[in-house]
Amino acid sequence: MAPTPPRNTSTRVHVVSDVHGNARDLARAGEGADALICLGDLVLFLDYADHSRGIFPDLFGAANADRIVALRTARRFDEARDFGRRLWAEAGGEPRELIEGAVRKQYAELFAAFPTPTYATYGNVDVPPLWPEYARPGTTVLDGERVEIGGRVFGFVGGGLRTPMNTPYEISDEEYAAKIEAVGEVDVLCTHIPPDVPELVYDTVARRFERGSRALLAAVRRTRPRYALFGHVHQPLARRMRVGATECVNVGHFASTGRPWVLEW
């Protein structure tokens, strides 16, 4: 009898980003995969496509959500902040406590939906100090760190850079660059925000350039990972493009698509 040939083995990883409260699809996102990777933005504070969804309209109503979205879209950020302050003053509650309570409710549902194993990093609207309370065994949180999956090295850098939007996890360019440096050379570089390439950072619906990282772009050019995976820009001008030897991929706005991006080798 002829010997049985060795079976071909492969590794399949599903990648999501910008979950923004979509726990239903998140619970199915790891089906058929050896691991799930989440690139952050679990929290839904305000849905720019449906102003009735999110923490803000739950607290202040859809009409006020319409108003603040209009101000931000027009880049009238000072007016938007003043408007928000008036709403909080009229509510009579402590903003930090009200927001944290709403975030905790979302995190309890979203972290419970993660399959095992999940590798996750923070988005710019996430609240990192709360994650250890909700990350169960089987969920590994990484930020400026590396992990091996199926024989390939994945590096993770979370958060966003500072903007007038003042979202919860925005850090300085210097702090972000230090995390990129700490990751070093990897096969797959996983971040929440994209490299600072115009086609990758421009949102065609919001009609604005989001903040990408120059340090990330420099690292991609210098270390030449096979892939650079990210999210953050919901409707990008280009969803993928090559930068030197690296395939740069926006894995998609999971909140609206409900579909993970698939990497298999």
Side-chain angles (χ1 to χ4, degrees):
M1 179 181 294
T4 302
R7 188 178 65 178
N8 292 328
T9 60
S10 63
T11 300
R12 181 183 176 99
V13 171
H14 291 180
V15 190
V16 300
S17 185
D18 299 87
V19 175
H20 293 302
N22 188 351
R24 181 191 62 187
D25 290 323
L26 185 62
R28 299 191 295 263
E31 291 178 356
D34 296 289
L36 178 71
I37 288 175
C38 179
L39 304 182
D41 272 10
L42 296 180
V43 171
L44 178 61
F45 188 74
L46 177 57
D47 188 334
Y48 278 60
D50 180 355
H51 304 167
S52 68
R53 297 181 63 246
I55 294 172
F56 188 94
D58 286 349
L59 292 173
F60 301 117
N64 285 323
D66 291 341
R67 174 62 177 162
I68 204 160
V69 167
L71 290 171
R72 289 178 174 177
T73 302
R75 305 188 68 81
R76 294 157 60 182
F77 296 114
D78 289 339
E79 292 178 61
R81 280 191 290 271
D82 289 342
F83 179 63
R85 290 190 189 102
R86 289 198 301 272
L87 291 176
W88 285 114
E90 291 168 4
E94 171 56 46
R96 184 183 299 272
E97 292 179 4
L98 291 172
I99 291 174
E100 182 175 314
V103 170
R104 284 181 177 277
K105 183 178 179 181
Q106 290 189 16
Y107 276 165
E109 183 178 13
L110 291 159
F111 276 91
F114 277 144
T116 296
T118 292
Y119 302 92
T121 196
Y122 315 114
N124 61 291
V125 302
D126 285 312
V127 185
L130 297 182
W131 279 36
E133 297 183 38
Y134 297 95
R136 303 177 302 171
T139 296
T140 303
V141 180
L142 300 143
D143 188 17
E145 299 164 283
R146 302 148 54 104
V147 69
E148 184 177 315
I149 306 172
R152 289 188 177 180
V153 178
F154 288 68
F156 291 79
V157 174
L161 298 175
R162 287 177 181 154
T163 72
M165 302 288 281
N166 195 31
T167 52
Y169 191 43
E170 294 181 355
I171 60 177
S172 70
D173 290 62
E174 293 76 17
E175 185 178 352
Y176 194 89
K179 292 195 294 184
I180 292 288
E181 185 68 23
V183 165
E185 294 188 15
V186 295
D187 297 305
V188 184
L189 186 51
C190 300
T191 60
H192 178 67
I193 63 174
D196 190 18
V197 177
E199 295 90 339
L200 299 176
V201 300
Y202 186 73
D203 191 306
T204 60
V205 175
R207 293 185 295 177
R208 65 170 180 258
F209 290 96
E210 302 288 356
R211 282 213 67 188
S213 169
R214 294 180 181 178
L216 173 57
L217 178 59
V220 166
R221 288 172 169 160
R222 183 179 69 255
T223 65
R224 299 162 61 90
R226 298 183 189 210
Y227 293 93
L229 308 180
F230 50 88
H232 187 56
V233 183
H234 293 179
Q235 296 89 199
L237 186 61
R239 292 205 172 273
R240 62 192 300 165
M241 64 183 294
R242 295 195 74 83
V243 173
T246 302
E247 187 76 12
C248 297
V249 183
N250 184 319
V251 301
H253 181 212
F254 186 78
S256 62
T257 69
R259 296 189 303 273
W261 186 79
V262 177
L263 179 62
E264 192 167 12
W265 66 95

